[in-house]
Amino acid sequence: YDELDDVECMKFEGQSLPEMRSFGFLLPGDMAGRIAQFKRRLKALTALKDHGELLRMFADPRLRIENSQDPLDETSEAFKRLDQSKQNALREILSTIPLFLLQGPPGVGKTYLVGDLVERRMAEDGTARLLLSAQSNSAIDHLMNEVQEIFKSSDADSAPLMVRARAADDDEAGELEVDVQADKLLRDLAVSPLMNEASPRLAEKVDALVAARTGGRVGRTGGDNTTGRRVAAELRAFEGMILRSANLVFATTNSAAVERLIEEQGLFDWTIVEEAGKATGGELLSPLLLSHRRLMIGDHKQLPPFDIEKMSRLLSSTSSVQEVVNLVDNLISRYLKDPSIDETFEEVSRAGDDFGRTCADAMSLLILFETFVERELSRQKRNDSGPRIARRLNEQYRMHPAIARIVSKCFYDGELETNAKQASKFANEASPVASTNTAVLPDKPIVFIDMPYAQAEGPGGRGGERPPPWSNPEEAKAVIRALSLIAPSDAMSSPSLAVLSPYWQQVRRIEREFDRNRSGLLSNLSGFTPAV
C-alpha cells in the first residue's frame, strides 16, 4: 500500500508492465473460496428445480401442513423443567411437518431447546439422523458443544455418532471432525474381530489406509504420486460413508459436506438451522434440501443477513437491478455460468410490467426467515384459524430485567419477559460491578453515554480522521474514562468484562489506549477477567 494525495493506493512492482488485452481488476485474496461457495449455491439451485415439495413450501409454507403424531411425554421431569413458552414451542415443533419456525430474542434458551429436542429424538429412535446447521462456524460450534454435553455420560455403544464437517484447512479442527472420526474408526476396525472374518484383500486395504494416515504419508488432499491420490480418494470415500451414516452432522449451511450430501442425495430425518435470521434464502437452501422435516431457529431482530440494506436499496429500483445485471455480465467467469444464470440474464433483459413484483419476491426470499416468521405471527395476531408454524419464545434468563425491558419495548412489542427466578436473583443479589464515581457514571444496570456526532466531519475536524472515519478518537477516550470508573463490588469475585465495537479500526484504537493506560488510569481493571 502507498498514499497519493491522502488517498490509499496500491503499488505494483515487476520487471515489465503486464499485458493488457482489455481491462484489469483486482480480486480479493479469498476469491477462490468465494467462487467455491458460488458454485455450491448454483448446485443447490439446480437441485431445487427438481424438488417440488420444497418449491411448494417456498411459495406457501402453509400449503401442506401435516400432524406428525410424534409422542411427547408431558409427565417427564425434563418436560416439567421447561418454562411455559418452551413447553408450547416443543408441542408445536414435534407435531408439525414440514416446517416450523422459532423466533427467539436474546437469552430465551433457543440452543437449550434444540439440545432438548435432539436428546428426545435420539431417545425415541437411536437410528435417527439429524443435520444441525448454521451460517457461521461459531454458531455451529456453540450448538455442538451444547449437544456434546448432553451425551457426555453416554457409553460408546449407546451414544449417537456425531460428526463435525469443517473445511480441510480449518485450524479449529477437533475430535468430531470427519477425518479425525475416520482415523479412529479405521484404527478400531483394523484391530476388531471383524477383520478376522474379512477377505485378505479387504484386510490389506484397511491396513494400508491406517498406515497411510498414521504414518503421515497422505493427507486429505492426497499426495503427488498415483498411490497417494488413490489412497486419498479411498479415504474421502470412507469419510463420505461416515457422513451418510452419522446420527448428528454439524455443518455450516454452505459447507462442502452439505454440497456432497446433496450430490449423493443424502436425506436426514430432520434439518435444524440455528441463527436462521442471519442467513439469506440462498444460504438456507442447501440444508433445507436434505430433509422433509425442517426447523429454523433465529431472530432477525438481532442480526439480519450481511449487507441486506444494500440489497434492499438495489432491489427497490428495477432500473438499478437491470443496470447491475448488465454491468456484471462480462465479469462472471465461464465456469460459473450455467443455464439458470443465463435464464436470469434473459429474464432481466426483457423485464416487463411485473418485474417490480419479481424484485419484491427476490427480496422476500433473501430475508426468508424474517418473511416467513413475520407473515405467520401477523396471521396469528389476526386470530386466523389453523395450526401454528411459528412461535416466539418470550421468557429470557440472561439479561437484567432493566435491560430486558428496553429490548422488549424496542424490538419485541413488549412481549419479552424475565424469568421470575432470575428476576428475583437480580433483585436480591448485589451487582458484581460498582461505579467508583456515581456523579459521573451512574451505578445502574444500563447506562447510555451520548457522544457528539463526529463522523460527518472531514479532515481536520474533531477527530482529525480521514474519511471514512471507521475509528472515533473521542469515543475511544470516553470508553477509557468509563472503564476507569468501575471496579468489582467484591474484591474476590473477578467479574468478566468485555468492550465491543462494530469496527475493527476502533477496536485497535481502544486497544492502544488501553495499553497506554494499563498501569495508570486503568489499574483498577486488574480485578476483572476477560469475557473471551
Side-chain angles (χ1 to χ4, degrees), residues 30-43 254-256 259 335-336:
D30 62 350
M31 196 61 193
R34 295 187 189 184
I35 289 173
Q37 291 189 342
F38 291 146
K39 284 183 173 180
R40 287 173 194 155
R41 293 186 193 178
L42 285 173
K43 287 181 180 178
N254 209 32
S255 68
E259 176 190 24
Y335 47 81
L336 282 178

Side-chain angles (χ1 to χ4, degrees), residues 211-240:
R213 290 304 290 264
T214 57
R217 293 198 297 273
V218 63
R220 293 177 70 177
T221 55
D224 296 330
N225 55 56
T226 303
T227 302
R229 288 193 293 271
R230 176 181 58 77
V231 173
E234 290 172 349
L235 285 167
R236 284 195 297 271
F238 189 71
E239 291 173 6

Side-chain angles (χ1 to χ4, degrees), residues 134-151:
Q135 184 215 38
S136 67
N137 279 307
S138 58
I140 280 294
D141 289 340
H142 176 63
L143 176 59
M144 181 180 69
N145 292 336
E146 290 281 331
V147 173
Q148 274 187 287
E149 193 69 20
I150 292 170
F151 296 105

Side-chain angles (χ1 to χ4, degrees), residues 17-324:
L17 288 172
E19 183 180 350
M20 298 292 291
R21 291 186 174 86
S22 55
F23 62 93
F25 51 89
L26 299 175
L27 294 177
D30 62 350
M31 196 61 193
R34 295 187 189 184
I35 289 173
Q37 291 189 342
F38 291 146
K39 284 183 173 180
R40 287 173 194 155
R41 293 186 193 178
L42 285 173
K43 287 181 180 178
L45 287 167
T46 301
L48 178 63
K49 287 183 179 180
D50 300 321
H51 202 302
E53 182 268 338
L54 186 55
L55 281 169
R56 288 190 293 271
M57 196 201 78
F58 279 143
D60 183 358
R62 298 190 58 83
L63 190 62
R64 296 183 65 179
I65 304 172
E66 299 178 16
N67 191 316
S68 70
Q69 306 297 328
D70 280 4
L72 175 60
D73 182 7
E74 298 193 10
T75 64
S76 68
E77 289 301 315
F79 184 80
K80 290 178 181 178
R81 282 197 299 268
L82 300 175
D83 61 55
Q84 189 66 49
S85 176
K86 292 190 185 70
Q87 288 180 355
N88 291 334
L90 192 60
R91 288 189 191 100
E92 292 163 351
I93 291 168
L94 286 171
S95 65
T96 308
I97 293 177
L99 172 71
F100 198 85
L101 306 147
L102 192 66
Q103 185 194 2
V108 294
K110 299 185 291 293
T111 303
Y112 178 86
L113 188 60
V114 173
D116 183 89
L117 183 63
V118 170
E119 186 177 17
R120 290 173 186 276
R121 192 71 191 93
M122 296 312 303
E124 292 162 9
D125 180 5
T127 66
R129 281 178 33 80
L130 285 76
L131 172 64
L132 297 112
S133 189
Q135 184 215 38
S136 67
N137 279 307
S138 58
I140 280 294
D141 289 340
H142 176 63
L143 176 59
M144 181 180 69
N145 292 336
E146 290 281 331
V147 173
Q148 274 187 287
E149 193 69 20
I150 292 170
F151 296 105
K152 72 176 182 180
S153 59
S154 303
D155 59 75
D157 293 332
S158 62
L161 175 59
M162 294 184 277
V163 170
R164 173 68 166 98
R166 200 187 297 266
D169 58 350
D170 198 311
D171 295 332
E172 300 296 324
E175 61 181 15
L176 294 188
E177 304 304 322
V178 179
D179 57 328
V180 177
Q181 293 273 39
D183 287 351
K184 180 181 181 300
L185 291 169
L186 276 171
R187 289 195 301 271
D188 291 346
L189 178 61
V191 298
S192 71
L194 284 173
M195 294 313 297
N196 296 330
E197 304 172 14
S199 66
R201 184 170 177 273
L202 178 58
E204 182 182 341
K205 179 164 288 190
V206 170
D207 288 340
L209 290 175
V210 172
R213 290 304 290 264
T214 57
R217 293 198 297 273
V218 63
R220 293 177 70 177
T221 55
D224 296 330
N225 55 56
T226 303
T227 302
R229 288 193 293 271
R230 176 181 58 77
V231 173
E234 290 172 349
L235 285 167
R236 284 195 297 271
F238 189 71
E239 291 173 6
M241 187 168 64
I242 295 172
L243 270 178
R244 293 191 301 275
S245 58
N247 298 108
L248 306 176
V249 175
F250 299 87
T252 55
T253 56
N254 209 32
S255 68
V258 171
E259 176 190 24
R260 179 174 186 169
L261 287 163
I262 292 172
E263 289 175 347
E264 297 175 354
Q265 297 184 331
L267 199 62
F268 291 84
D269 298 299
W270 217 320
T271 285
I272 300 175
V273 183
E274 270 239 339
E275 292 195 353
K278 286 178 61 177
T280 63
E283 290 169 323
L284 291 170
L285 173 58
S286 293
L288 297 182
L289 283 165
L290 290 170
S291 177
H292 289 279
R293 190 165 191 181
R294 310 166 183 100
L295 171 63
M296 289 198 287
I297 303 172
D299 186 18
H300 54 282
K301 303 280 189 179
Q302 290 184 61
L303 285 173
F306 179 69
D307 262 358
I308 200 64
E309 297 88 353
K310 292 180 181 178
M311 293 302 298
S312 178
R313 288 196 298 270
L314 172 64
L315 289 167
S316 65
S317 168
T318 55
S319 59
S320 295
V321 173
Q322 289 177 294
E323 183 180 350
V324 166

Side-chain angles (χ1 to χ4, degrees), residues 104-111 142 302 395-401 403-404 417-419 422 426:
V108 294
K110 299 185 291 293
T111 303
H142 176 63
Q302 290 184 61
E395 191 167 334
Q396 72 89 20
Y397 295 74
R398 183 185 304 161
M399 296 174 280
H400 190 287
I403 301 173
E417 300 173 352
T418 301
N419 174 266
Q422 289 297 103
F426 279 114

